[in-house]
Amino acid sequence: GNSVTQMEGPVTLSEEAFLTINCTYTATGYPSLFWYVQYPGEGLQLLLKATKADDKGSNKGFEATYRKETTSFHLEKGSVQVSDSAVYFCALRTTGGGSNYKLTFGKGTLLTVNP
Amino acid sequence: GEEVAQTPKHLVRGEGQKAKLYCAPIKGHSYVFWYQQVLKNEFKFLISFQNENVFDETGMPKERFSAKCLPNSPCSLEIQATKLEDSAVYFCASSQSGTGNYGYTFGSGTRLTVV
């Protein structure tokens, strides 16, 4: 079956620090990979995605590269801001092997950025 | 509209009472998914629909949970005889297609508290 493993945190950083949140996956078929962000009291927002190997997703200064050889999709940002404080979820979706298109989530990583 | 609308935002029910949650997907999106987010952020898949047809119900506790997506009506998730363990945030998401190239758009959730 499909699974996603991400560093659980919490992660606490100072403003302008470099961020990495690790994410690895196992999947049947060829997954698309996603990072979602959940701000306090809100729903999930799609942050970025990559649909095939070596694709790089990017948005709002965040980046992640789909690495098939290491089955990874690590999230990075060069300089975090206080407003980036949220819970980040790595997720995958396959279109075959009985997955029925549903997203499989990691357990989320709480990021707190201090001024 | 371009958002997934979930109502109500908050719902409090006594143990054993019925709870009904609603979700209006984005117009033109064929797939609707329901997820339950419990303590510690974990997302549990419940059920998905392709238009008004159940697509995947492998996550549903069928003895008390039911769901529908009828034409020209919001989708609904109903819990008969709620239990304390049903306290969670329930998210609905819609997707344009079943393929992995499309992410989901999530609603802001319904927080169900069973007392």
Side-chain angles (χ1 to χ4, degrees), chain A residues 32 36 49 93 101-103, chain B residues 35 37 98 100-102 104:
Chain A
S32 294
Y36 282 86
K49 66 178 181 180
R93 184 181 188 184
Y101 310 145
K102 58 180 179 276
L103 282 170
Chain B
Y35 283 84
Q37 186 179 29
N101 290 334
Y102 296 92
Y104 295 11

Side-chain angles (χ1 to χ4, degrees), chain A residues 32 34 36 38 41-44 46 49 51 87 89 93 95 99-105 107, chain B residues 31 33 35 37 40-43 45 55-56 91 95 97-104 106-107:
Chain A
S32 294
F34 305 87
Y36 282 86
Q38 186 176 30
E42 297 186 14
L44 287 173
L46 178 63
K49 66 178 181 180
T51 58
V87 181
F89 293 90
R93 184 181 188 184
T95 55
S99 70
N100 285 339
Y101 310 145
K102 58 180 179 276
L103 282 170
T104 299
F105 288 93
K107 293 187 177 181
Chain B
Y31 289 83
F33 302 81
Y35 283 84
Q37 186 179 29
K40 298 207 173 181
N41 297 322
E42 282 195 53
F43 280 88
F45 168 77
F55 191 65
D56 180 354
F91 286 100
S95 178
S97 164
T99 68
N101 290 334
Y102 296 92
Y104 295 11
F106 279 82

Side-chain angles (χ1 to χ4, degrees), chain B:
Chain B
E2 290 300 307
E3 66 170 26
V4 175
Q6 287 191 250
T7 56
K9 287 188 78 70
H10 302 279
L11 191 58
V12 179
R13 288 290 179 264
E15 209 172 0
Q17 291 185 315
K18 184 172 74 175
K20 195 164 186 179
L21 292 60
Y22 296 92
C23 167
I26 291 173
K27 198 171 183 180
H29 281 194
S30 305
Y31 289 83
V32 171
F33 302 81
W34 285 97
Y35 283 84
Q36 180 193 54
Q37 186 179 29
V38 295
L39 287 176
K40 298 207 173 181
N41 297 322
E42 282 195 53
F43 280 88
K44 180 189 172 190
F45 168 77
L46 295 175
I47 190 169
S48 62
F49 290 83
Q50 183 181 17
N51 298 311
E52 61 266 28
N53 304 308
V54 174
F55 191 65
D56 180 354
E57 57 182 349
T58 53
M60 284 282 269
K62 291 183 188 174
E63 62 276 7
R64 295 184 299 109
F65 284 61
S66 62
K68 294 179 188 175
C69 275
L70 299 175
N72 303 313
S73 297
C75 297
S76 63
L77 176 70
E78 189 167 329
I79 308 172
Q80 302 286 344
T82 52
K83 296 183 177 182
L84 294 175
E85 69 215 42
D86 299 330
S87 295
V89 182
Y90 292 83
F91 286 100
C92 171
S94 69
S95 178
Q96 185 173 346
S97 164
T99 68
N101 290 334
Y102 296 92
Y104 295 11
T105 302
F106 279 82
S108 55
T110 293
R111 181 176 292 278
L112 172 65
T113 302
V114 181
V115 297

Side-chain angles (χ1 to χ4, degrees), chain A residues 2-78:
Chain A
N2 298 337
S3 68
V4 175
T5 302
Q6 63 179 105
M7 56 189 284
E8 289 193 23
V11 174
T12 302
L13 296 173
S14 298
E15 210 165 19
E16 299 184 3
F18 184 85
L19 169 71
T20 300
I21 302 177
N22 290 337
C23 171
T24 58
Y25 67 89
T26 57
T28 53
Y30 299 96
S32 294
L33 302 173
F34 305 87
W35 277 99
Y36 282 86
V37 58
Q38 186 176 30
Y39 297 101
E42 297 186 14
L44 287 173
Q45 298 177 25
L46 178 63
L47 182 59
L48 52 85
K49 66 178 181 180
T51 58
K52 61 182 189 298
D54 300 324
D55 269 2
K56 179 188 278 189
S58 61
N59 185 27
K60 298 181 182 180
F62 291 90
E63 292 183 340
T65 301
Y66 188 143
R67 301 282 187 206
K68 190 177 177 184
E69 64 276 12
T70 54
T71 62
S72 65
F73 193 54
H74 304 322
L75 182 68
E76 296 182 337
K77 187 175 185 182

